[in-house]
Amino acid sequence: MKSIMTALNPFETFLRGLANWLLLGLTGMTACGANFQNLSFEAGPIYNNPLDYSAIYPDVLPNWTVRFGNTVQPGASCNNFTLDYPVVALMSQGGFLGTNYVIAGNRSVYLQSSASLGDPSSAVNVSISQVGLVPVDAQSLVFDARNQWSSLFPIPPGPFKVTMDGVAVPLILLTSDGGNVTYAANIANWSGQTTELSIGVLASSAWGGANWEGWSVVDSIRFSPESVPEPTIVALVGLSWVLLGLWRTKGKVQQGAS
């Protein structure tokens, strides 16, 4: 019986090696070019443990990386957070904090940055990030946000820092309805590229509290083929934050003088 383990001539060896090299290359391209996933945060389990504020779960935000400052966290909270303390938490319909923390579907993400004792230098800003392939026809990034405490602090959610591969992209306010807003950013420069998207909230004094804080519920992140106007309005949005902070500061000074 003739053996099937026949020796390969050099040309056959080269062709097989070339085929394996191309296969490995295509596999690597597929892995590196994976689409963004879980942009509406509907994947992953739900936990309700209202008595344990320190509970961190590694599986509630699949595909996302949580950072406090530049430090990667082991996971996120779920249906819980501590006031005046940095946190990223998955919130769900039926959670004990109520539906005010869910914008759409069954789940949203809550981001809260904070500085202790009114010291801006101690601020810890939080963010979520993911590496994925930006659709080739994408012109803009759009997401929904909510100031869940707008009845107490009628200011926009955030303030935000959104980056693509570490480059900050200015946000444009598309719609505003009370504490609910929709933001967009021009990301045409990254169309068709594998990119790290980061959405963060910065600590700020604009809300008028003793501590510098920033907070927002975030949901429904999507890429759109529709372009957005250049951020001429961004200057107005930024100016509104500054003026609001000055107005609150002036009010405190006047109260102290009286």
Side-chain angles (χ1 to χ4, degrees):
M1 183 176 179
K2 186 176 180 180
S3 172
I4 61 174
M5 299 298 291
T6 57
L8 299 177
N9 63 45
F11 183 67
E12 290 175 323
T13 302
F14 169 76
L15 288 180
R16 292 200 177 192
L18 178 62
N20 289 335
W21 179 81
L22 289 174
L23 180 61
L24 289 174
L26 290 173
T27 302
M29 289 174 61
T30 303
C32 292
N35 294 331
F36 284 95
Q37 301 180 50
N38 195 25
L39 295 180
S40 293
F41 310 111
E42 296 296 321
I46 293 297
Y47 301 95
N48 276 295
N49 191 3
L51 299 180
D52 189 355
Y53 294 99
S54 62
I56 299 296
Y57 306 97
D59 53 353
V60 292
L61 288 179
N63 306 108
W64 290 98
T65 298
V66 176
R67 286 184 174 87
F68 287 7
N70 294 320
T71 304
V72 174
Q73 302 299 302
S77 301
C78 191
N79 286 313
N80 215 336
F81 69 92
T82 303
L83 290 173
D84 304 326
Y85 192 80
V87 69
V88 172
L90 180 69
M91 301 299 190
S92 70
Q93 295 279 2
F96 83 101
L97 290 173
T99 58
N100 208 34
Y101 286 84
V102 178
I103 297 176
N106 293 312
R107 304 169 190 178
S108 298
V109 164
Y110 177 64
L111 299 99
Q112 177 177 286
S113 296
S114 180
S116 62
L117 302 176
D119 177 13
S121 66
S122 69
V124 176
N125 299 318
V126 305
S127 65
I128 55 173
S129 64
Q130 181 179 160
V131 176
L133 179 64
V134 179
V136 294
D137 63 345
Q139 296 295 305
S140 60
L141 172 76
V142 184
F143 66 93
D144 299 328
R146 171 180 290 171
N147 174 0
Q148 73 288 353
W149 293 327
S150 60
S151 59
L152 298 176
F153 310 109
I155 62 176
F160 288 97
K161 181 180 181 181
V162 177
T163 65
M164 301 288 286
D165 266 348
V167 178
V169 291
L171 293 183
I172 299 161
L173 182 64
L174 293 184
T175 64
S176 178
D177 178 17
N180 296 286
V181 299
T182 299
Y183 287 112
N186 187 340
I187 50 87
N189 290 340
W190 291 273
S191 297
Q193 299 181 32
T194 298
T195 302
E196 183 181 45
L197 164 66
S198 174
I199 298 179
V201 166
L202 307 176
S204 168
S205 63
W207 73 294
N211 290 339
W212 282 47
E213 291 192 350
W215 14 256
S216 179
V217 181
V218 173
D219 205 346
S220 304
I221 303 167
R222 62 261 192 202
F223 293 96
S224 172
E226 301 293 329
S227 59
V228 293
E230 289 302 315
T232 54
I233 193 173
V234 171
L236 298 177
V237 174
L239 180 61
S240 67
W241 277 97
V242 174
L243 292 177
L244 181 59
L246 292 175
W247 177 77
R248 290 183 178 276
T249 301
K250 180 180 178 182
K252 290 181 179 179
V253 172
Q254 290 177 340
Q255 290 177 1
S258 61

mmCIF file of all heavy atoms in Angstrom, residues 211-252:
data_model
loop_
_atom_site.group_PDB
_atom_site.id
_atom_site.type_symbol
_atom_site.label_atom_id
_atom_site.label_comp_id
_atom_site.label_asym_id
_atom_site.label_seq_id
_atom_site.Cartn_x
_atom_site.Cartn_y
_atom_site.Cartn_z
ATOM 1 N N ASN A 211 -18.543 69.532 46.085
ATOM 2 C CA ASN A 211 -17.551 68.736 45.381
ATOM 3 C C ASN A 211 -17.662 68.960 43.878
ATOM 4 O O ASN A 211 -18.741 69.185 43.352
ATOM 5 C CB ASN A 211 -17.746 67.249 45.679
ATOM 6 C CG ASN A 211 -17.377 66.898 47.092
ATOM 7 O OD1 ASN A 211 -16.632 67.616 47.756
ATOM 8 N ND2 ASN A 211 -17.894 65.782 47.572
ATOM 9 N N TRP A 212 -16.535 68.866 43.199
ATOM 10 C CA TRP A 212 -16.547 68.865 41.747
ATOM 11 C C TRP A 212 -17.035 67.497 41.289
ATOM 12 O O TRP A 212 -16.492 66.466 41.698
ATOM 13 C CB TRP A 212 -15.149 69.127 41.209
ATOM 14 C CG TRP A 212 -14.748 70.562 41.259
ATOM 15 C CD1 TRP A 212 -14.878 71.418 42.308
ATOM 16 C CD2 TRP A 212 -14.158 71.313 40.195
ATOM 17 N NE1 TRP A 212 -14.399 72.659 41.985
ATOM 18 C CE2 TRP A 212 -13.944 72.624 40.690
ATOM 19 C CE3 TRP A 212 -13.776 71.013 38.893
ATOM 20 C CZ2 TRP A 212 -13.372 73.622 39.915
ATOM 21 C CZ3 TRP A 212 -13.204 71.991 38.123
ATOM 22 C CH2 TRP A 212 -13.010 73.293 38.628
ATOM 23 N N GLU A 213 -18.051 67.491 40.456
ATOM 24 C CA GLU A 213 -18.591 66.227 39.969
ATOM 25 C C GLU A 213 -19.047 66.374 38.521
ATOM 26 O O GLU A 213 -19.202 67.471 38.002
ATOM 27 C CB GLU A 213 -19.773 65.752 40.818
ATOM 28 C CG GLU A 213 -19.390 65.314 42.213
ATOM 29 C CD GLU A 213 -20.512 64.585 42.917
ATOM 30 O OE1 GLU A 213 -21.657 64.578 42.415
ATOM 31 O OE2 GLU A 213 -20.236 64.005 43.972
ATOM 32 N N GLY A 214 -19.269 65.260 37.900
ATOM 33 C CA GLY A 214 -19.898 65.195 36.591
ATOM 34 C C GLY A 214 -20.618 63.871 36.503
ATOM 35 O O GLY A 214 -20.138 62.868 37.033
ATOM 36 N N TRP A 215 -21.783 63.848 35.871
ATOM 37 C CA TRP A 215 -22.532 62.597 35.807
ATOM 38 C C TRP A 215 -23.437 62.583 34.593
ATOM 39 O O TRP A 215 -23.882 63.610 34.083
ATOM 40 C CB TRP A 215 -23.378 62.355 37.060
ATOM 41 C CG TRP A 215 -23.576 63.521 37.985
ATOM 42 C CD1 TRP A 215 -22.960 63.721 39.190
ATOM 43 C CD2 TRP A 215 -24.423 64.668 37.795
ATOM 44 N NE1 TRP A 215 -23.369 64.902 39.762
ATOM 45 C CE2 TRP A 215 -24.272 65.512 38.923
ATOM 46 C CE3 TRP A 215 -25.284 65.066 36.791
ATOM 47 C CZ2 TRP A 215 -24.949 66.712 39.067
ATOM 48 C CZ3 TRP A 215 -25.963 66.279 36.929
ATOM 49 C CH2 TRP A 215 -25.795 67.074 38.070
ATOM 50 N N SER A 216 -23.705 61.382 34.114
ATOM 51 C CA SER A 216 -24.617 61.204 32.993
ATOM 52 C C SER A 216 -24.986 59.738 32.836
ATOM 53 O O SER A 216 -24.157 58.854 33.075
ATOM 54 C CB SER A 216 -24.007 61.705 31.687
ATOM 55 O OG SER A 216 -24.904 61.503 30.602
ATOM 56 N N VAL A 217 -26.232 59.506 32.440
ATOM 57 C CA VAL A 217 -26.623 58.211 31.908
ATOM 58 C C VAL A 217 -26.342 58.260 30.406
ATOM 59 O O VAL A 217 -26.602 59.273 29.753
ATOM 60 C CB VAL A 217 -28.113 57.927 32.173
ATOM 61 C CG1 VAL A 217 -28.498 56.555 31.640
ATOM 62 C CG2 VAL A 217 -28.430 58.032 33.661
ATOM 63 N N VAL A 218 -25.792 57.183 29.861
ATOM 64 C CA VAL A 218 -25.425 57.122 28.444
ATOM 65 C C VAL A 218 -26.044 55.887 27.811
ATOM 66 O O VAL A 218 -26.108 54.818 28.445
ATOM 67 C CB VAL A 218 -23.891 57.093 28.275
ATOM 68 C CG1 VAL A 218 -23.504 56.866 26.824
ATOM 69 C CG2 VAL A 218 -23.271 58.382 28.793
ATOM 70 N N ASP A 219 -26.494 56.027 26.560
ATOM 71 C CA ASP A 219 -27.124 54.894 25.886
ATOM 72 C C ASP A 219 -27.119 55.123 24.377
ATOM 73 O O ASP A 219 -26.820 56.221 23.895
ATOM 74 C CB ASP A 219 -28.559 54.712 26.382
ATOM 75 C CG ASP A 219 -29.054 53.282 26.225
ATOM 76 O OD1 ASP A 219 -28.417 52.488 25.504
ATOM 77 O OD2 ASP A 219 -30.099 52.942 26.828
ATOM 78 N N SER A 220 -27.470 54.059 23.650
ATOM 79 C CA SER A 220 -27.740 54.107 22.208
ATOM 80 C C SER A 220 -26.612 54.772 21.423
ATOM 81 O O SER A 220 -26.841 55.696 20.640
ATOM 82 C CB SER A 220 -29.070 54.830 21.950
ATOM 83 O OG SER A 220 -30.134 54.215 22.651
ATOM 84 N N ILE A 221 -25.404 54.287 21.626
ATOM 85 C CA ILE A 221 -24.260 54.774 20.851
ATOM 86 C C ILE A 221 -24.370 54.202 19.435
ATOM 87 O O ILE A 221 -24.610 53.008 19.264
ATOM 88 C CB ILE A 221 -22.944 54.339 21.506
ATOM 89 C CG1 ILE A 221 -22.890 54.837 22.962
ATOM 90 C CG2 ILE A 221 -21.748 54.840 20.720
ATOM 91 C CD1 ILE A 221 -21.781 54.196 23.777
ATOM 92 N N ARG A 222 -24.232 55.044 18.426
ATOM 93 C CA ARG A 222 -24.338 54.550 17.060
ATOM 94 C C ARG A 222 -23.503 55.395 16.111
ATOM 95 O O ARG A 222 -23.209 56.556 16.396
ATOM 96 C CB ARG A 222 -25.786 54.513 16.576
ATOM 97 C CG ARG A 222 -26.513 55.845 16.501
ATOM 98 C CD ARG A 222 -27.376 56.081 17.692
ATOM 99 N NE ARG A 222 -28.302 57.205 17.547
ATOM 100 C CZ ARG A 222 -28.837 57.848 18.580
ATOM 101 N NH1 ARG A 222 -28.531 57.520 19.820
ATOM 102 N NH2 ARG A 222 -29.685 58.830 18.377
ATOM 103 N N PHE A 223 -23.146 54.760 14.985
ATOM 104 C CA PHE A 223 -22.455 55.452 13.913
ATOM 105 C C PHE A 223 -23.460 55.759 12.815
ATOM 106 O O PHE A 223 -24.287 54.916 12.465
ATOM 107 C CB PHE A 223 -21.308 54.598 13.374
ATOM 108 C CG PHE A 223 -20.198 54.391 14.360
ATOM 109 C CD1 PHE A 223 -20.155 53.256 15.145
ATOM 110 C CD2 PHE A 223 -19.203 55.341 14.513
ATOM 111 C CE1 PHE A 223 -19.136 53.055 16.060
ATOM 112 C CE2 PHE A 223 -18.177 55.165 15.427
ATOM 113 C CZ PHE A 223 -18.145 54.017 16.201
ATOM 114 N N SER A 224 -23.381 56.950 12.287
ATOM 115 C CA SER A 224 -24.363 57.397 11.302
ATOM 116 C C SER A 224 -23.673 57.815 10.013
ATOM 117 O O SER A 224 -22.610 58.444 10.049
ATOM 118 C CB SER A 224 -25.177 58.575 11.855
ATOM 119 O OG SER A 224 -25.994 59.137 10.844
ATOM 120 N N PRO A 225 -24.291 57.491 8.848
ATOM 121 C CA PRO A 225 -23.744 57.977 7.574
ATOM 122 C C PRO A 225 -24.060 59.448 7.322
ATOM 123 O O PRO A 225 -23.560 60.029 6.354
ATOM 124 C CB PRO A 225 -24.429 57.076 6.539
ATOM 125 C CG PRO A 225 -25.724 56.694 7.180
ATOM 126 C CD PRO A 225 -25.425 56.583 8.647
ATOM 127 N N GLU A 226 -24.885 60.031 8.194
ATOM 128 C CA GLU A 226 -25.238 61.438 8.052
ATOM 129 C C GLU A 226 -24.142 62.308 8.658
ATOM 130 O O GLU A 226 -23.671 62.049 9.763
ATOM 131 C CB GLU A 226 -26.573 61.729 8.743
ATOM 132 C CG GLU A 226 -27.736 60.915 8.208
ATOM 133 C CD GLU A 226 -28.077 61.283 6.778
ATOM 134 O OE1 GLU A 226 -27.875 62.459 6.406
ATOM 135 O OE2 GLU A 226 -28.535 60.395 6.028
ATOM 136 N N SER A 227 -23.758 63.325 7.938
ATOM 137 C CA SER A 227 -22.760 64.251 8.463
ATOM 138 C C SER A 227 -23.422 65.238 9.410
ATOM 139 O O SER A 227 -24.639 65.450 9.364
ATOM 140 C CB SER A 227 -22.069 65.010 7.318
ATOM 141 O OG SER A 227 -23.024 65.736 6.569
ATOM 142 N N VAL A 228 -22.630 65.821 10.284
ATOM 143 C CA VAL A 228 -23.125 66.823 11.221
ATOM 144 C C VAL A 228 -22.402 68.131 10.947
ATOM 145 O O VAL A 228 -21.286 68.139 10.430
ATOM 146 C CB VAL A 228 -22.898 66.385 12.686
ATOM 147 C CG1 VAL A 228 -23.759 65.188 13.022
ATOM 148 C CG2 VAL A 228 -21.434 66.072 12.934
ATOM 149 N N PRO A 229 -23.039 69.251 11.254
ATOM 150 C CA PRO A 229 -22.386 70.541 10.988
ATOM 151 C C PRO A 229 -21.127 70.696 11.811
ATOM 152 O O PRO A 229 -20.970 70.095 12.876
ATOM 153 C CB PRO A 229 -23.450 71.564 11.391
ATOM 154 C CG PRO A 229 -24.338 70.833 12.341
ATOM 155 C CD PRO A 229 -24.364 69.410 11.867
ATOM 156 N N GLU A 230 -20.212 71.481 11.277
ATOM 157 C CA GLU A 230 -19.005 71.770 12.041
ATOM 158 C C GLU A 230 -19.387 72.404 13.365
ATOM 159 O O GLU A 230 -20.368 73.154 13.442
ATOM 160 C CB GLU A 230 -18.086 72.700 11.248
ATOM 161 C CG GLU A 230 -17.434 72.016 10.061
ATOM 162 C CD GLU A 230 -16.618 70.806 10.466
ATOM 163 O OE1 GLU A 230 -15.862 70.905 11.459
ATOM 164 O OE2 GLU A 230 -16.728 69.758 9.806
ATOM 165 N N PRO A 231 -18.640 72.103 14.433
ATOM 166 C CA PRO A 231 -19.088 72.445 15.787
ATOM 167 C C PRO A 231 -19.003 73.931 16.129
ATOM 168 O O PRO A 231 -18.345 74.330 17.079
ATOM 169 C CB PRO A 231 -18.145 71.622 16.668
ATOM 170 C CG PRO A 231 -16.917 71.473 15.853
ATOM 171 C CD PRO A 231 -17.381 71.357 14.434
ATOM 172 N N THR A 232 -19.691 74.766 15.345
ATOM 173 C CA THR A 232 -19.787 76.165 15.741
ATOM 174 C C THR A 232 -20.619 76.310 17.003
ATOM 175 O O THR A 232 -20.410 77.212 17.807
ATOM 176 C CB THR A 232 -20.435 76.989 14.619
ATOM 177 O OG1 THR A 232 -21.690 76.386 14.259
ATOM 178 C CG2 THR A 232 -19.538 77.020 13.389
ATOM 179 N N ILE A 233 -21.564 75.376 17.176
ATOM 180 C CA ILE A 233 -22.417 75.431 18.360
ATOM 181 C C ILE A 233 -21.685 74.956 19.600
ATOM 182 O O ILE A 233 -22.092 75.246 20.722
ATOM 183 C CB ILE A 233 -23.693 74.584 18.140
ATOM 184 C CG1 ILE A 233 -24.737 74.886 19.221
ATOM 185 C CG2 ILE A 233 -23.350 73.099 18.140
ATOM 186 C CD1 ILE A 233 -26.072 74.228 18.963
ATOM 187 N N VAL A 234 -20.601 74.213 19.395
ATOM 188 C CA VAL A 234 -19.862 73.693 20.546
ATOM 189 C C VAL A 234 -19.367 74.830 21.426
ATOM 190 O O VAL A 234 -19.376 74.748 22.654
ATOM 191 C CB VAL A 234 -18.685 72.811 20.077
ATOM 192 C CG1 VAL A 234 -17.781 72.452 21.239
ATOM 193 C CG2 VAL A 234 -19.218 71.557 19.412
ATOM 194 N N ALA A 235 -18.918 75.907 20.793
ATOM 195 C CA ALA A 235 -18.441 77.055 21.572
ATOM 196 C C ALA A 235 -19.562 77.595 22.444
ATOM 197 O O ALA A 235 -19.335 77.985 23.595
ATOM 198 C CB ALA A 235 -17.935 78.138 20.637
ATOM 199 N N LEU A 236 -20.784 77.598 21.914
ATOM 200 C CA LEU A 236 -21.908 78.086 22.700
ATOM 201 C C LEU A 236 -22.219 77.142 23.858
ATOM 202 O O LEU A 236 -22.526 77.581 24.963
ATOM 203 C CB LEU A 236 -23.141 78.241 21.794
ATOM 204 C CG LEU A 236 -22.999 79.247 20.653
ATOM 205 C CD1 LEU A 236 -24.257 79.243 19.795
ATOM 206 C CD2 LEU A 236 -22.732 80.637 21.203
ATOM 207 N N VAL A 237 -22.140 75.831 23.593
ATOM 208 C CA VAL A 237 -22.383 74.871 24.671
ATOM 209 C C VAL A 237 -21.338 75.012 25.760
ATOM 210 O O VAL A 237 -21.636 75.047 26.952
ATOM 211 C CB VAL A 237 -22.396 73.433 24.105
ATOM 212 C CG1 VAL A 237 -22.507 72.422 25.239
ATOM 213 C CG2 VAL A 237 -23.539 73.256 23.124
ATOM 214 N N GLY A 238 -20.056 75.121 25.352
ATOM 215 C CA GLY A 238 -18.992 75.304 26.340
ATOM 216 C C GLY A 238 -19.155 76.594 27.103
ATOM 217 O O GLY A 238 -18.944 76.648 28.320
ATOM 218 N N LEU A 239 -19.554 77.667 26.393
ATOM 219 C CA LEU A 239 -19.749 78.943 27.050
ATOM 220 C C LEU A 239 -20.877 78.870 28.067
ATOM 221 O O LEU A 239 -20.807 79.480 29.139
ATOM 222 C CB LEU A 239 -20.051 80.025 26.007
ATOM 223 C CG LEU A 239 -20.290 81.450 26.541
ATOM 224 C CD1 LEU A 239 -19.054 81.948 27.279
ATOM 225 C CD2 LEU A 239 -20.658 82.382 25.403
ATOM 226 N N SER A 240 -21.913 78.084 27.749
ATOM 227 C CA SER A 240 -23.027 77.965 28.688
ATOM 228 C C SER A 240 -22.576 77.337 29.992
ATOM 229 O O SER A 240 -23.027 77.721 31.073
ATOM 230 C CB SER A 240 -24.158 77.148 28.058
ATOM 231 O OG SER A 240 -23.774 75.811 27.877
ATOM 232 N N TRP A 241 -21.647 76.341 29.896
ATOM 233 C CA TRP A 241 -21.107 75.736 31.121
ATOM 234 C C TRP A 241 -20.351 76.775 31.936
ATOM 235 O O TRP A 241 -20.506 76.870 33.155
ATOM 236 C CB TRP A 241 -20.164 74.598 30.755
ATOM 237 C CG TRP A 241 -20.848 73.303 30.478
ATOM 238 C CD1 TRP A 241 -21.189 72.793 29.265
ATOM 239 C CD2 TRP A 241 -21.287 72.336 31.446
ATOM 240 N NE1 TRP A 241 -21.804 71.582 29.412
ATOM 241 C CE2 TRP A 241 -21.873 71.266 30.736
ATOM 242 C CE3 TRP A 241 -21.235 72.265 32.838
ATOM 243 C CZ2 TRP A 241 -22.405 70.163 31.359
ATOM 244 C CZ3 TRP A 241 -21.749 71.149 33.459
ATOM 245 C CH2 TRP A 241 -22.338 70.133 32.723
ATOM 246 N N VAL A 242 -19.551 77.571 31.270
ATOM 247 C CA VAL A 242 -18.756 78.578 31.969
ATOM 248 C C VAL A 242 -19.653 79.613 32.632
ATOM 249 O O VAL A 242 -19.477 79.966 33.807
ATOM 250 C CB VAL A 242 -17.781 79.267 30.991
ATOM 251 C CG1 VAL A 242 -17.057 80.417 31.678
ATOM 252 C CG2 VAL A 242 -16.774 78.254 30.455
ATOM 253 N N LEU A 243 -20.625 80.114 31.873
ATOM 254 C CA LEU A 243 -21.521 81.133 32.414
ATOM 255 C C LEU A 243 -22.337 80.585 33.575
ATOM 256 O O LEU A 243 -22.571 81.298 34.564
ATOM 257 C CB LEU A 243 -22.447 81.644 31.310
ATOM 258 C CG LEU A 243 -21.772 82.449 30.191
ATOM 259 C CD1 LEU A 243 -22.800 82.837 29.129
ATOM 260 C CD2 LEU A 243 -21.101 83.695 30.760
ATOM 261 N N LEU A 244 -22.773 79.328 33.456
ATOM 262 C CA LEU A 244 -23.546 78.737 34.544
ATOM 263 C C LEU A 244 -22.701 78.625 35.800
ATOM 264 O O LEU A 244 -23.158 78.921 36.911
ATOM 265 C CB LEU A 244 -24.058 77.349 34.123
ATOM 266 C CG LEU A 244 -24.920 76.606 35.150
ATOM 267 C CD1 LEU A 244 -26.156 77.427 35.495
ATOM 268 C CD2 LEU A 244 -25.318 75.237 34.603
ATOM 269 N N GLY A 245 -21.432 78.204 35.636
ATOM 270 C CA GLY A 245 -20.550 78.114 36.788
ATOM 271 C C GLY A 245 -20.310 79.465 37.433
ATOM 272 O O GLY A 245 -20.324 79.608 38.657
ATOM 273 N N LEU A 246 -20.110 80.503 36.585
ATOM 274 C CA LEU A 246 -19.904 81.847 37.120
ATOM 275 C C LEU A 246 -21.147 82.352 37.829
ATOM 276 O O LEU A 246 -21.067 83.013 38.871
ATOM 277 C CB LEU A 246 -19.515 82.798 35.975
ATOM 278 C CG LEU A 246 -18.136 82.555 35.342
ATOM 279 C CD1 LEU A 246 -17.951 83.495 34.160
ATOM 280 C CD2 LEU A 246 -17.037 82.775 36.370
ATOM 281 N N TRP A 247 -22.302 82.054 37.248
ATOM 282 C CA TRP A 247 -23.553 82.509 37.863
ATOM 283 C C TRP A 247 -23.757 81.882 39.235
ATOM 284 O O TRP A 247 -24.131 82.548 40.190
ATOM 285 C CB TRP A 247 -24.717 82.150 36.946
ATOM 286 C CG TRP A 247 -26.064 82.515 37.519
ATOM 287 C CD1 TRP A 247 -26.655 83.738 37.596
ATOM 288 C CD2 TRP A 247 -26.979 81.590 38.114
ATOM 289 N NE1 TRP A 247 -27.879 83.642 38.199
ATOM 290 C CE2 TRP A 247 -28.114 82.341 38.530
ATOM 291 C CE3 TRP A 247 -26.957 80.213 38.341
ATOM 292 C CZ2 TRP A 247 -29.208 81.750 39.140
ATOM 293 C CZ3 TRP A 247 -28.054 79.625 38.954
ATOM 294 C CH2 TRP A 247 -29.155 80.387 39.343
ATOM 295 N N ARG A 248 -23.464 80.579 39.326
ATOM 296 C CA ARG A 248 -23.620 79.917 40.624
ATOM 297 C C ARG A 248 -22.603 80.446 41.635
ATOM 298 O O ARG A 248 -22.907 80.632 42.800
ATOM 299 C CB ARG A 248 -23.467 78.398 40.457
ATOM 300 C CG ARG A 248 -24.633 77.760 39.714
ATOM 301 C CD ARG A 248 -24.459 76.246 39.638
ATOM 302 N NE ARG A 248 -25.572 75.608 38.973
ATOM 303 C CZ ARG A 248 -26.709 75.263 39.557
ATOM 304 N NH1 ARG A 248 -26.874 75.531 40.838
ATOM 305 N NH2 ARG A 248 -27.661 74.672 38.878
ATOM 306 N N THR A 249 -21.371 80.675 41.160
ATOM 307 C CA THR A 249 -20.340 81.213 42.046
ATOM 308 C C THR A 249 -20.728 82.605 42.546
ATOM 309 O O THR A 249 -20.586 82.924 43.727
ATOM 310 C CB THR A 249 -18.995 81.287 41.324
ATOM 311 O OG1 THR A 249 -18.644 79.969 40.884
ATOM 312 C CG2 THR A 249 -17.907 81.815 42.242
ATOM 313 N N LYS A 250 -21.249 83.444 41.647
ATOM 314 C CA LYS A 250 -21.671 84.782 42.019
ATOM 315 C C LYS A 250 -22.797 84.729 43.059
ATOM 316 O O LYS A 250 -22.811 85.482 44.034
ATOM 317 C CB LYS A 250 -22.137 85.547 40.793
ATOM 318 C CG LYS A 250 -22.595 86.956 41.089
ATOM 319 C CD LYS A 250 -23.039 87.659 39.789
ATOM 320 C CE LYS A 250 -23.537 89.071 40.100
ATOM 321 N NZ LYS A 250 -24.013 89.744 38.869
ATOM 322 N N GLY A 251 -23.722 83.768 42.864
ATOM 323 C CA GLY A 251 -24.820 83.636 43.804
ATOM 324 C C GLY A 251 -24.336 83.260 45.187
ATOM 325 O O GLY A 251 -24.809 83.780 46.195
ATOM 326 N N LYS A 252 -23.330 82.376 45.251
ATOM 327 C CA LYS A 252 -22.783 81.975 46.560
ATOM 328 C C LYS A 252 -22.086 83.146 47.242
ATOM 329 O O LYS A 252 -22.182 83.349 48.451
ATOM 330 C CB LYS A 252 -21.807 80.821 46.371
ATOM 331 C CG LYS A 252 -22.483 79.506 45.976
ATOM 332 C CD LYS A 252 -21.440 78.415 45.823
ATOM 333 C CE LYS A 252 -22.063 77.109 45.469
ATOM 334 N NZ LYS A 252 -21.067 76.033 45.294
#
